[in-house]
Amino acid sequence: MHNAIKGEIEGAATGRTSKGKRNIVWRGLYRGRWFYLMMFPGLLYYFIFNYLPMGGLLIAFQKYNLLKGIWGSPWVGLDNFRVILQTPDFPIILKNTLIISVYRVCFGMLTDIGLALMLNEIRIQWFKRTVQTITYGPYFLSWVIVYGLAFSFLAPESGLISTWYREMGWGALNLLTEKEFFRPLLIMTDIWKSTGYGAIIYLAALATINQELYEAAVVDGAGRWRQLWHITLPGIRDVFILLLILRIGHILDAGFDQVYIFLNARVYETGDIIDTWVFRRGLESLDFSVAAATGLFKSVVGLILVLGANKLAKKINGSGIW
């Protein structure tokens, strides 16, 4: 009898506690109703354009037919993934993708940090703003315009630099059509276009560093290089790790827009990447199933890399994305 009464009391207490928690939750939702209302359009956008299209991943496991649609197309299981891995060109395009992506990560992030550090050292504000505006401007240009500029300088017959090189008697200069120069050309144009934008993120991180640390370092006799090594670089370390993890997650995205515009038949050996191959296979050959399977493959690899890089960063440095 005693145990039964005790159980009833505990059950009633648990019920009251659960009801109290629900009331607290509802009161919190009501108090923040206007914030949730403002957030709703953004959530609706991501739901419609990011999550609903994920239903199309079913195509990756089908022999998709445009006339039959998703529900009428026959299922083939993992056959599309076998087609990808057994394609003779897949090892080459995977290698090209990884090399170009690694180059982008290494050279791109270093130039971003370098420009941010140099701008941070400038004390003349009008000069600093002028340099920042000039370096930030190319980010707003499309890759079509960037290729047009590169073509005007490097076209084999009519380019400014190519013509000067030929008139100096040094022979023909074919940077746009030589496979040995294709990857460096991609990296150089990407640095020119994106460094200004990337530096802004590091400048924002530099602005959060406590200036009293620099004052204390000056009192202790530390020079600019010592301050840079012991204060500035540790101050942007977390931001660097965050951006590095995000870039590692996109290691199989080597920049479709740029590569597709710069690509030509003579540089396929070093310039053809997964995204350009998917474009030809999916849109030009209408093989949507293999294209969807490739996209799913890239997403899974990216997720694994992000999880692994985040875990490794937390173990080594104690900080990560989450």
Side-chain angles (χ1 to χ4, degrees), residues 223-262:
R224 297 303 301 173
W225 288 108
R226 286 283 184 179
Q227 296 175 35
L228 174 68
W229 183 257
H230 294 286
I231 300 175
T232 305
L233 293 181
I236 63 175
R237 180 179 56 196
D238 292 343
V239 175
F240 174 81
I241 292 175
L242 171 64
L243 295 178
L244 179 61
I245 293 174
L246 293 177
R247 289 205 177 197
I248 289 176
H250 291 277
I251 200 72
L252 295 183
D253 296 324
F256 169 76
D257 295 346
Q258 181 191 16
V259 175
Y260 182 74
I261 292 171
F262 278 77

Side-chain angles (χ1 to χ4, degrees), residues 167-210:
E167 291 180 352
M168 292 296 292
W170 296 335
L173 187 65
N174 301 318
L175 296 181
L176 292 178
T177 57
E178 292 290 340
K179 61 182 181 180
E180 292 82 5
F181 297 103
F182 183 74
R183 291 171 185 163
L185 182 62
L186 290 179
I187 302 306
M188 291 176 63
T189 52
D190 181 65
I191 290 174
W192 177 77
K193 184 177 185 296
S194 306
T195 297
Y197 176 80
I200 290 178
I201 301 175
Y202 291 105
L203 283 172
L206 290 170
T208 63
I209 298 177
N210 190 351

Side-chain angles (χ1 to χ4, degrees), residues 237-238 240-241 244-245 248 307-322:
R237 180 179 56 196
D238 292 343
F240 174 81
I241 292 175
L244 179 61
I245 293 174
I248 289 176
L307 294 176
N310 185 71
K311 185 175 181 179
L312 182 62
K314 292 181 69 175
K315 177 179 283 190
I316 296 176
N317 189 54
S319 64
I321 297 180
W322 63 85

Side-chain angles (χ1 to χ4, degrees), residues 32-266:
R33 61 189 182 279
W34 300 116
F35 295 102
Y36 294 119
L37 184 62
M38 288 188 291
M39 190 170 60
F40 178 74
L43 295 176
L44 184 63
Y45 168 84
Y46 279 101
F47 177 74
I48 294 176
F49 294 101
N50 291 79
Y51 286 93
L52 282 182
M54 290 178 66
L57 291 176
L58 295 174
I59 298 174
F61 304 96
Q62 296 177 325
K63 186 65 177 177
Y64 181 69
N65 188 302
L66 279 172
L67 299 178
K68 295 180 180 179
I70 294 179
W71 304 116
S73 300
W75 293 87
V76 295
L78 300 177
D79 287 353
N80 292 319
F81 297 93
R82 296 190 186 96
V83 170
I84 297 170
L85 298 177
Q86 294 173 1
T87 299
D89 294 335
F90 185 75
I92 298 175
I93 63 176
L94 180 60
K95 175 185 174 183
N96 293 338
T97 303
L98 292 175
I99 291 176
I100 294 174
S101 294
V102 170
Y103 283 171
R104 283 177 180 274
V105 171
C106 295
F107 293 103
M109 297 192 72
L110 289 178
T111 53
D112 293 348
I113 294 175
L115 179 60
L117 293 176
M118 287 188 289
L119 290 174
N120 189 58
E121 294 298 321
I122 297 176
R123 296 295 178 260
I124 305 175
Q125 291 301 316
W126 67 267
F127 182 71
K128 178 179 180 179
R129 289 193 295 266
T130 301
V131 173
Q132 189 172 354
T133 301
I134 293 174
T135 55
Y136 186 55
Y139 178 78
F140 296 99
L141 300 178
S142 69
W143 280 114
V144 176
I145 297 176
V146 174
Y147 177 76
L149 293 173
F151 187 84
S152 65
F153 282 97
L154 303 176
E157 299 297 332
S158 59
L160 182 62
I161 296 178
S162 300
T163 302
W164 172 79
Y165 191 87
R166 185 173 59 252
E167 291 180 352
M168 292 296 292
W170 296 335
L173 187 65
N174 301 318
L175 296 181
L176 292 178
T177 57
E178 292 290 340
K179 61 182 181 180
E180 292 82 5
F181 297 103
F182 183 74
R183 291 171 185 163
L185 182 62
L186 290 179
I187 302 306
M188 291 176 63
T189 52
D190 181 65
I191 290 174
W192 177 77
K193 184 177 185 296
S194 306
T195 297
Y197 176 80
I200 290 178
I201 301 175
Y202 291 105
L203 283 172
L206 290 170
T208 63
I209 298 177
N210 190 351
Q211 296 301 310
E212 294 180 357
L213 297 175
Y214 292 104
E215 296 173 1
V218 171
V219 172
D220 292 338
R224 297 303 301 173
W225 288 108
R226 286 283 184 179
Q227 296 175 35
L228 174 68
W229 183 257
H230 294 286
I231 300 175
T232 305
L233 293 181
I236 63 175
R237 180 179 56 196
D238 292 343
V239 175
F240 174 81
I241 292 175
L242 171 64
L243 295 178
L244 179 61
I245 293 174
L246 293 177
R247 289 205 177 197
I248 289 176
H250 291 277
I251 200 72
L252 295 183
D253 296 324
F256 169 76
D257 295 346
Q258 181 191 16
V259 175
Y260 182 74
I261 292 171
F262 278 77
L263 195 64
N264 59 76
R266 298 187 62 178

